[in-house]
Amino acid sequence: MLTKRKLITLLGALIVLIAAAGLVAYYKKESQASPQNAPPAIPVTAVAVTSRTMPVRLYAIGNVEPFTTVALKARVDGQIVSVHFKEGDEVKQGAVLFEIDPRGFAAALKQAQANLAKDKALLDRAVEQEKRYKDLLGKNFISPDAYEQVRTNMETAAATVRADEAGIENARLSLEYCTIRAPVTGYAGRIQIQQGNLVKANDTNPLVTINQVVPIYTTFSVPEQSLADIRKYQTDGELKVQAAFANSTRAPISGKLSFIDNTADATTGTIRLKAEFANTDKALWPGQFVNVVLTLYEQKDAIVTPSAAIQSGPSGQYVYVVKPDQTVELRTIKVARSEGDDTVIASGLQAGEQVVTVGQLRLAPGSRVNVGKSAQAS
Protein backbone atom coordinates (compact mmCIF):
# COMPACT_ATOMS: atom_id res chain seq x y z
CA MET A 1 0.00 0.00 0.00
CA LEU A 2 1.36 3.39 -1.03
CA THR A 3 2.27 5.65 1.76
CA LYS A 4 1.39 9.31 1.74
CA ARG A 5 5.01 10.27 1.17
CA LYS A 6 5.38 8.00 -1.88
CA LEU A 7 2.13 9.33 -3.28
CA ILE A 8 3.39 12.90 -3.07
CA THR A 9 6.64 11.88 -4.80
CA LEU A 10 4.76 10.24 -7.66
CA LEU A 11 2.52 13.25 -8.08
CA GLY A 12 5.58 15.55 -8.23
CA ALA A 13 7.23 13.38 -10.87
CA LEU A 14 4.02 13.37 -12.90
CA ILE A 15 3.82 17.17 -12.75
CA VAL A 16 7.46 17.46 -13.92
CA LEU A 17 6.74 15.11 -16.85
CA ILE A 18 3.66 17.10 -17.85
CA ALA A 19 5.62 20.37 -17.65
CA ALA A 20 8.45 18.92 -19.73
CA ALA A 21 5.99 17.69 -22.36
CA GLY A 22 4.40 21.12 -22.44
CA LEU A 23 7.79 22.80 -22.94
CA VAL A 24 8.67 20.41 -25.76
CA ALA A 25 5.35 21.12 -27.49
CA TYR A 26 5.83 24.86 -27.06
CA TYR A 27 9.32 24.95 -28.53
CA LYS A 28 8.23 22.70 -31.37
CA LYS A 29 5.43 25.09 -32.18
CA GLU A 30 7.80 28.07 -31.99
CA SER A 31 10.23 26.26 -34.25
CA GLN A 32 7.50 25.63 -36.81
CA ALA A 33 6.41 29.26 -36.64
CA SER A 34 9.98 30.66 -37.03
CA PRO A 35 9.74 31.29 -40.80
CA GLN A 36 6.90 33.67 -40.16
CA ASN A 37 9.01 35.56 -37.63
CA ALA A 38 12.06 35.92 -39.99
CA PRO A 39 13.18 39.50 -40.92
CA PRO A 40 10.97 40.99 -43.69
CA ALA A 41 12.23 41.18 -47.27
CA ILE A 42 13.85 44.50 -48.19
CA PRO A 43 12.01 46.36 -50.97
CA VAL A 44 14.34 47.19 -53.86
CA THR A 45 14.24 48.14 -57.53
CA ALA A 46 16.14 45.88 -59.92
CA VAL A 47 16.88 46.06 -63.64
CA ALA A 48 18.02 43.34 -66.00
CA VAL A 49 21.53 43.51 -67.47
CA THR A 50 21.34 43.77 -71.27
CA SER A 51 23.56 43.02 -74.26
CA ARG A 52 23.35 45.59 -77.04
CA THR A 53 25.36 47.74 -79.43
CA MET A 54 27.02 50.69 -77.70
CA PRO A 55 29.08 53.51 -79.23
CA VAL A 56 32.70 54.03 -78.25
CA ARG A 57 33.17 57.77 -77.81
CA LEU A 58 35.63 60.46 -76.80
CA TYR A 59 34.43 63.49 -74.86
CA ALA A 60 35.93 66.99 -74.88
CA ILE A 61 35.18 70.68 -74.52
CA GLY A 62 35.27 72.49 -77.86
CA ASN A 63 35.43 76.07 -79.07
CA VAL A 64 33.44 77.24 -82.08
CA GLU A 65 35.48 78.98 -84.80
CA PRO A 66 34.38 80.63 -88.06
CA PHE A 67 34.93 78.69 -91.25
CA THR A 68 36.70 81.73 -92.71
CA THR A 69 37.71 85.06 -91.19
CA VAL A 70 38.50 87.98 -93.49
CA ALA A 71 39.84 91.33 -92.26
CA LEU A 72 39.00 93.87 -94.98
CA LYS A 73 41.60 96.57 -95.65
CA ALA A 74 41.76 99.33 -98.24
CA ARG A 75 44.13 98.78 -101.15
CA VAL A 76 44.31 102.47 -102.09
CA ASP A 77 44.50 105.72 -100.15
CA GLY A 78 41.42 107.92 -100.00
CA GLN A 79 38.32 109.05 -98.17
CA ILE A 80 35.43 106.70 -97.41
CA VAL A 81 32.39 108.28 -99.07
CA SER A 82 29.79 105.58 -98.35
CA VAL A 83 29.16 102.46 -96.25
CA HIS A 84 26.52 100.05 -97.57
CA PHE A 85 25.88 97.83 -94.55
CA LYS A 86 25.32 97.95 -90.80
CA GLU A 87 27.39 96.36 -88.08
CA GLY A 88 26.34 92.75 -87.50
CA ASP A 89 24.61 92.41 -90.88
CA GLU A 90 24.88 89.28 -92.94
CA VAL A 91 26.67 90.25 -96.14
CA LYS A 92 26.69 88.24 -99.34
CA GLN A 93 29.79 87.48 -101.35
CA GLY A 94 30.35 90.25 -103.91
CA ALA A 95 28.14 92.81 -102.15
CA VAL A 96 29.48 96.39 -102.04
CA LEU A 97 30.51 97.30 -98.49
CA PHE A 98 32.61 100.49 -98.75
CA GLU A 99 33.27 103.09 -101.42
CA ILE A 100 36.37 105.29 -101.47
CA ASP A 101 36.30 108.62 -103.33
CA PRO A 102 37.07 107.48 -106.92
CA ARG A 103 37.50 110.88 -108.64
CA GLY A 104 41.28 111.05 -108.39
CA PHE A 105 41.66 107.52 -109.69
CA ALA A 106 39.19 108.13 -112.53
CA ALA A 107 41.24 111.15 -113.58
CA ALA A 108 44.44 109.10 -113.46
CA LEU A 109 42.80 106.52 -115.70
CA LYS A 110 41.82 109.16 -118.26
CA GLN A 111 45.34 110.57 -118.23
CA ALA A 112 46.79 107.12 -118.83
CA GLN A 113 44.39 106.56 -121.72
CA ALA A 114 45.39 109.90 -123.24
CA ASN A 115 49.08 109.03 -122.97
CA LEU A 116 48.35 105.74 -124.70
CA ALA A 117 46.58 107.49 -127.59
CA LYS A 118 49.50 109.91 -128.03
CA ASP A 119 52.13 107.18 -127.96
CA LYS A 120 50.15 104.99 -130.35
CA ALA A 121 50.19 107.85 -132.85
CA LEU A 122 53.95 108.16 -132.44
CA LEU A 123 54.25 104.42 -132.89
CA ASP A 124 52.24 104.50 -136.13
CA ARG A 125 54.54 107.24 -137.49
CA ALA A 126 57.64 105.26 -136.43
CA VAL A 127 56.33 102.14 -138.17
CA GLU A 128 55.73 104.00 -141.44
CA GLN A 129 59.16 105.61 -141.22
CA GLU A 130 60.78 102.23 -140.62
CA LYS A 131 59.10 100.87 -143.78
CA ARG A 132 60.37 103.77 -145.93
CA TYR A 133 63.90 103.54 -144.60
CA LYS A 134 63.91 99.81 -145.16
CA ASP A 135 63.10 100.38 -148.86
CA LEU A 136 65.80 103.04 -149.11
CA LEU A 137 68.30 100.69 -147.52
CA GLY A 138 67.44 98.06 -150.12
CA LYS A 139 68.25 100.62 -152.85
CA ASN A 140 71.45 101.67 -151.08
CA PHE A 141 70.18 105.23 -150.68
CA ILE A 142 70.94 105.26 -146.93
CA SER A 143 73.50 103.65 -144.69
CA PRO A 144 72.70 100.65 -142.48
CA ASP A 145 73.44 102.78 -139.45
CA ALA A 146 70.72 105.26 -140.39
CA TYR A 147 68.21 102.44 -140.82
CA GLU A 148 69.12 100.96 -137.43
CA GLN A 149 68.44 104.32 -135.79
CA VAL A 150 64.95 104.44 -137.30
CA ARG A 151 64.20 100.85 -136.37
CA THR A 152 65.31 101.58 -132.80
CA ASN A 153 62.95 104.53 -132.66
CA MET A 154 60.09 102.28 -133.77
CA GLU A 155 60.84 99.66 -131.13
CA THR A 156 61.12 102.37 -128.46
CA ALA A 157 57.72 103.72 -129.48
CA ALA A 158 56.24 100.20 -129.28
CA ALA A 159 57.67 99.71 -125.78
CA THR A 160 56.21 103.06 -124.72
CA VAL A 161 52.78 101.93 -125.91
CA ARG A 162 53.05 98.71 -123.92
CA ALA A 163 54.04 100.71 -120.84
CA ASP A 164 51.02 102.97 -121.37
CA GLU A 165 48.74 99.92 -121.61
CA ALA A 166 50.15 98.61 -118.32
CA GLY A 167 49.61 102.02 -116.78
CA ILE A 168 45.99 101.96 -117.87
CA GLU A 169 45.51 98.54 -116.27
CA ASN A 170 47.06 99.80 -113.05
CA ALA A 171 44.87 102.90 -113.06
CA ARG A 172 41.80 100.81 -113.79
CA LEU A 173 42.65 98.47 -110.87
CA SER A 174 43.11 101.41 -108.52
CA LEU A 175 39.70 102.69 -109.59
CA GLU A 176 38.16 99.27 -108.97
CA TYR A 177 39.80 99.16 -105.53
CA CYS A 178 37.76 102.19 -104.59
CA THR A 179 34.77 99.84 -104.38
CA ILE A 180 35.33 97.30 -101.60
CA ARG A 181 33.20 94.16 -101.86
CA ALA A 182 32.59 91.23 -99.52
CA PRO A 183 34.98 88.39 -100.43
CA VAL A 184 32.84 85.76 -98.62
CA THR A 185 29.31 85.38 -97.34
CA GLY A 186 29.26 85.95 -93.60
CA TYR A 187 28.50 88.30 -90.75
CA ALA A 188 30.15 91.68 -90.41
CA GLY A 189 31.65 92.78 -87.13
CA ARG A 190 32.18 96.28 -85.82
CA ILE A 191 33.08 98.95 -88.39
CA GLN A 192 36.53 100.18 -87.41
CA ILE A 193 36.72 103.19 -89.75
CA GLN A 194 33.51 105.10 -90.36
CA GLN A 195 32.30 107.05 -93.37
CA GLY A 196 34.15 110.32 -93.94
CA ASN A 197 37.48 109.14 -92.61
CA LEU A 198 40.66 108.88 -94.64
CA VAL A 199 42.14 105.43 -95.07
CA LYS A 200 45.55 104.24 -96.15
CA ALA A 201 46.33 101.25 -98.27
CA ASN A 202 47.02 98.15 -96.13
CA ASP A 203 46.64 100.10 -92.90
CA THR A 204 47.15 98.27 -89.60
CA ASN A 205 43.49 98.36 -88.57
CA PRO A 206 40.99 96.65 -90.90
CA LEU A 207 37.85 98.42 -92.03
CA VAL A 208 35.72 95.51 -90.77
CA THR A 209 36.09 91.78 -90.10
CA ILE A 210 33.76 89.24 -91.71
CA ASN A 211 33.22 85.78 -90.23
CA GLN A 212 31.83 82.99 -92.39
CA VAL A 213 29.61 80.80 -90.18
CA VAL A 214 27.99 78.51 -92.78
CA PRO A 215 29.61 76.02 -92.53
CA ILE A 216 31.48 76.40 -89.25
CA TYR A 217 34.26 74.68 -87.30
CA THR A 218 34.60 73.46 -83.72
CA THR A 219 38.09 72.80 -82.39
CA PHE A 220 38.80 70.53 -79.43
CA SER A 221 41.62 68.49 -77.92
CA VAL A 222 41.79 64.84 -76.86
CA PRO A 223 44.55 62.87 -75.09
CA GLU A 224 47.38 61.98 -77.45
CA GLN A 225 46.93 58.31 -76.49
CA SER A 226 43.66 58.38 -78.46
CA LEU A 227 45.36 59.44 -81.70
CA ALA A 228 46.10 55.89 -82.88
CA ASP A 229 42.44 54.86 -82.48
CA ILE A 230 41.20 58.01 -84.19
CA ARG A 231 43.43 57.50 -87.21
CA LYS A 232 42.58 53.79 -87.31
CA TYR A 233 38.82 54.28 -87.41
CA GLN A 234 39.06 57.31 -89.68
CA THR A 235 40.42 55.05 -92.42
CA ASP A 236 37.20 53.03 -92.20
CA GLY A 237 35.02 56.04 -92.93
CA GLU A 238 33.92 59.46 -91.79
CA LEU A 239 33.95 59.92 -88.01
CA LYS A 240 30.85 61.54 -86.58
CA VAL A 241 31.05 64.42 -84.13
CA GLN A 242 28.26 65.91 -82.05
CA ALA A 243 28.24 69.29 -80.32
CA ALA A 244 25.86 70.28 -77.54
CA PHE A 245 25.50 73.26 -75.26
CA ALA A 246 25.76 72.78 -71.50
CA ASN A 247 22.43 72.92 -69.64
CA SER A 248 20.51 73.10 -72.91
CA THR A 249 17.47 71.09 -73.98
CA ARG A 250 18.42 71.45 -77.65
CA ALA A 251 19.32 68.23 -79.44
CA PRO A 252 23.04 67.75 -80.21
CA ILE A 253 24.24 69.14 -83.53
CA SER A 254 25.84 66.63 -85.89
CA GLY A 255 29.03 67.16 -87.87
CA LYS A 256 32.14 65.31 -89.05
CA LEU A 257 35.83 65.21 -88.13
CA SER A 258 37.72 67.25 -90.71
CA PHE A 259 41.20 67.92 -89.32
CA ILE A 260 43.86 66.30 -87.12
CA ASP A 261 46.76 68.53 -86.15
CA ASN A 262 50.19 67.41 -87.33
CA THR A 263 51.78 67.97 -83.90
CA ALA A 264 50.76 67.01 -80.38
CA ASP A 265 50.95 69.63 -77.66
CA ALA A 266 53.95 68.61 -75.54
CA THR A 267 52.86 70.76 -72.58
CA THR A 268 49.39 69.21 -72.23
CA GLY A 269 49.82 65.80 -73.88
CA THR A 270 46.84 66.42 -76.17
CA ILE A 271 46.20 66.51 -79.90
CA ARG A 272 44.10 69.22 -81.53
CA LEU A 273 41.16 68.19 -83.73
CA LYS A 274 38.65 70.13 -85.79
CA ALA A 275 35.09 69.18 -86.73
CA GLU A 276 33.00 70.74 -89.49
CA PHE A 277 29.27 71.45 -89.06
CA ALA A 278 26.85 72.49 -91.81
CA ASN A 279 25.29 75.04 -89.40
CA THR A 280 22.51 75.94 -91.83
CA ASP A 281 20.36 77.07 -88.90
CA LYS A 282 23.29 79.09 -87.50
CA ALA A 283 22.92 77.50 -84.07
CA LEU A 284 26.70 77.55 -83.59
CA TRP A 285 28.38 80.93 -83.30
CA PRO A 286 32.08 81.80 -83.22
CA GLY A 287 33.52 81.92 -79.71
CA GLN A 288 30.98 79.62 -78.06
CA PHE A 289 32.02 76.67 -75.90
CA VAL A 290 30.31 73.34 -76.54
CA ASN A 291 30.48 69.77 -75.28
CA VAL A 292 31.92 67.65 -78.07
CA VAL A 293 31.41 63.90 -78.55
CA LEU A 294 33.54 62.06 -81.12
CA THR A 295 32.21 58.58 -82.01
CA LEU A 296 34.96 56.13 -82.98
CA TYR A 297 32.90 52.98 -83.64
CA GLU A 298 29.90 50.92 -82.49
CA GLN A 299 30.70 48.06 -80.08
CA LYS A 300 28.39 45.07 -80.64
CA ASP A 301 27.09 42.77 -77.87
CA ALA A 302 28.30 45.03 -75.08
CA ILE A 303 27.20 44.11 -71.52
CA VAL A 304 25.31 47.15 -70.24
CA THR A 305 23.85 47.99 -66.84
CA PRO A 306 22.40 51.19 -65.42
CA SER A 307 25.06 53.34 -63.78
CA ALA A 308 22.81 53.62 -60.70
CA ALA A 309 23.46 49.94 -59.91
CA ILE A 310 27.20 50.38 -59.45
CA GLN A 311 28.62 50.97 -55.97
CA SER A 312 32.20 51.56 -54.86
CA GLY A 313 33.90 49.77 -51.95
CA PRO A 314 37.34 49.02 -50.55
CA SER A 315 37.81 46.20 -53.06
CA GLY A 316 36.62 48.22 -56.05
CA GLN A 317 33.29 48.58 -57.79
CA TYR A 318 30.48 46.09 -57.22
CA VAL A 319 26.76 45.47 -57.72
CA TYR A 320 24.09 43.48 -55.89
CA VAL A 321 22.80 40.68 -58.09
CA VAL A 322 19.30 39.29 -57.34
CA LYS A 323 19.39 35.48 -57.30
CA PRO A 324 16.41 33.24 -58.14
CA ASP A 325 15.65 32.64 -54.42
CA GLN A 326 15.16 36.42 -53.98
CA THR A 327 18.36 36.91 -52.06
CA VAL A 328 21.20 39.12 -53.20
CA GLU A 329 24.82 38.41 -54.00
CA LEU A 330 27.57 41.04 -53.84
CA ARG A 331 29.40 40.82 -57.18
CA THR A 332 32.71 42.59 -57.90
CA ILE A 333 32.83 43.98 -61.46
CA LYS A 334 35.17 45.78 -63.84
CA VAL A 335 33.85 48.84 -65.66
CA ALA A 336 34.86 49.54 -69.27
CA ARG A 337 33.29 53.01 -69.66
CA SER A 338 30.18 55.04 -68.99
CA GLU A 339 27.72 56.23 -71.64
CA GLY A 340 25.20 58.64 -70.20
CA ASP A 341 23.03 56.79 -67.66
CA ASP A 342 24.45 53.41 -68.70
CA THR A 343 27.75 51.69 -67.97
CA VAL A 344 29.51 49.14 -70.17
CA ILE A 345 30.83 46.24 -68.08
CA ALA A 346 34.15 44.64 -68.95
CA SER A 347 33.69 41.60 -66.67
CA GLY A 348 31.62 40.35 -63.74
CA LEU A 349 28.09 40.33 -65.20
CA GLN A 350 26.11 38.41 -67.79
CA ALA A 351 23.16 39.52 -69.88
CA GLY A 352 19.84 38.66 -68.23
CA GLU A 353 21.03 38.97 -64.62
CA GLN A 354 19.14 41.39 -62.41
CA VAL A 355 21.01 44.08 -60.50
CA VAL A 356 19.66 46.31 -57.76
CA THR A 357 19.45 49.98 -58.77
CA VAL A 358 17.59 51.39 -55.74
CA GLY A 359 17.95 50.29 -52.11
CA GLN A 360 21.57 49.07 -52.05
CA LEU A 361 22.40 50.86 -48.80
CA ARG A 362 20.12 48.52 -46.80
CA LEU A 363 21.52 45.34 -48.31
CA ALA A 364 24.14 42.85 -47.26
CA PRO A 365 25.22 39.63 -48.96
CA GLY A 366 22.40 37.09 -48.56
CA SER A 367 19.68 39.65 -47.74
CA ARG A 368 16.16 38.73 -48.87
CA VAL A 369 14.63 41.29 -51.20
CA ASN A 370 11.24 42.13 -52.60
CA VAL A 371 11.85 43.31 -56.16
CA GLY A 372 9.57 45.88 -57.62
CA LYS A 373 8.68 48.00 -54.60
CA SER A 374 10.26 51.37 -54.05
CA ALA A 375 13.08 51.14 -51.58
CA GLN A 376 12.95 53.41 -48.55
CA ALA A 377 15.96 55.56 -47.81
CA SER A 378 18.08 54.04 -45.14
Side-chain angles (χ1 to χ4, degrees):
M1 189 172 180
L2 294 174
T3 63
K4 184 177 181 180
R5 186 172 182 176
K6 290 182 178 181
L7 182 59
I8 293 173
T9 302
L10 289 173
L11 288 174
L14 182 60
I15 292 171
V16 171
L17 289 174
I18 293 173
L23 288 172
V24 171
Y26 173 79
Y27 283 114
K28 183 176 181 182
K29 181 178 180 182
E30 288 294 319
S31 177
Q32 293 174 348
S34 61
Q36 299 178 1
N37 295 332
I42 300 172
V44 297
T45 300
V47 176
V49 177
T50 59
S51 173
R52 63 178 187 268
T53 300
M54 291 291 289
V56 177
R57 296 167 170 167
L58 297 176
Y59 297 85
I61 301 296
N63 180 246
V64 182
E65 295 181 355
F67 188 80
T68 302
T69 297
V70 180
L72 289 184
K73 294 184 179 182
R75 301 180 70 174
V76 293
D77 298 344
Q79 182 184 33
I80 298 177
V81 294
S82 61
V83 179
H84 295 271
F85 68 101
K86 295 180 180 179
E87 295 177 337
D89 279 355
E90 182 181 15
V91 294
K92 301 295 183 181
Q93 184 177 10
V96 176
L97 302 182
F98 298 91
E99 285 190 88
I100 297 174
D101 188 354
R103 291 175 295 179
F105 300 99
L109 176 60
K110 290 180 180 179
Q111 182 179 9
Q113 290 171 335
N115 289 335
L116 175 63
K118 180 192 70 173
D119 291 334
K120 275 189 173 180
L122 294 176
L123 174 62
D124 292 341
R125 181 174 179 276
V127 169
E128 292 298 326
Q129 190 175 21
E130 188 272 340
K131 289 180 180 178
R132 290 196 302 271
Y133 272 65
K134 190 174 184 179
D135 290 341
L136 294 174
L137 178 64
K139 298 176 181 179
N140 293 322
F141 289 161
I142 60 172
S143 66
D145 185 65
Y147 170 74
E148 288 297 327
Q149 181 63 43
V150 172
R151 189 171 66 84
T152 300
N153 292 339
M154 181 194 68
E155 292 177 351
T156 301
T160 301
V161 168
R162 290 195 296 271
D164 290 341
E165 290 173 344
I168 288 176
E169 289 300 319
N170 186 55
R172 184 176 287 114
L173 278 177
S174 296
L175 184 60
E176 290 179 1
Y177 290 156
C178 290
T179 301
I180 302 175
R181 301 177 182 273
V184 296
T185 297
Y187 283 86
R190 186 170 68 89
I191 299 175
Q192 304 283 355
I193 303 177
Q194 299 288 343
Q195 180 177 342
N197 287 283
L198 293 174
V199 293
K200 293 183 178 180
N202 298 315
D203 201 359
T204 303
N205 294 324
L207 300 175
V208 71
T209 299
I210 299 175
N211 285 336
Q212 182 180 354
V213 300
V214 180
I216 204 166
Y217 286 129
T218 294
T219 59
F220 57 99
S221 297
V222 298
E224 60 183 12
Q225 293 84 356
S226 303
L227 178 59
D229 288 337
I230 293 172
R231 296 187 64 84
K232 172 185 175 183
Y233 294 109
Q234 191 181 39
T235 58
D236 296 334
E238 190 176 89
L239 295 184
K240 297 180 180 179
V241 180
Q242 289 186 322
F245 299 103
N247 303 320
S248 174
T249 58
R250 181 187 177 92
I253 304 166
S254 297
K256 61 182 180 180
L257 184 67
S258 60
F259 169 76
I260 301 175
D261 204 350
N262 60 0
T263 305
D265 190 332
T267 59
T268 61
T270 59
I271 187 77
R272 184 170 175 264
L273 309 178
K274 184 181 290 186
E276 181 181 331
F277 296 83
N279 202 37
T280 53
D281 59 354
K282 297 163 188 164
L284 297 174
W285 206 252
Q288 289 179 310
F289 287 95
V290 290
N291 296 322
V292 178
V293 180
L294 170 62
T295 301
L296 296 179
Y297 68 98
E298 300 286 336
Q299 179 185 356
K300 297 182 179 180
D301 301 324
I303 302 300
V304 182
T305 186
S307 299
I310 300 174
Q311 304 292 305
S312 297
S315 300
Q317 294 175 303
Y318 65 91
V319 295
Y320 280 108
V321 178
V322 180
K323 298 193 294 186
D325 62 357
Q326 296 301 294
T327 62
V328 293
E329 171 193 353
L330 188 150
R331 184 85 59 80
T332 301
I333 61 171
K334 289 185 178 180
V335 172
R337 65 185 184 280
S338 295
E339 292 291 341
D341 295 332
D342 294 324
T343 296
V344 179
I345 304 301
S347 63
L349 287 175
Q350 297 295 326
E353 292 184 309
Q354 283 196 322
V355 292
V356 177
T357 57
V358 179
Q360 298 98 317
L361 296 180
R362 302 177 60 185
L363 299 179
S367 297
R368 290 196 309 116
V369 294
N370 186 357
V371 177
K373 295 182 180 180
S374 299
Q376 300 297 324
S378 56

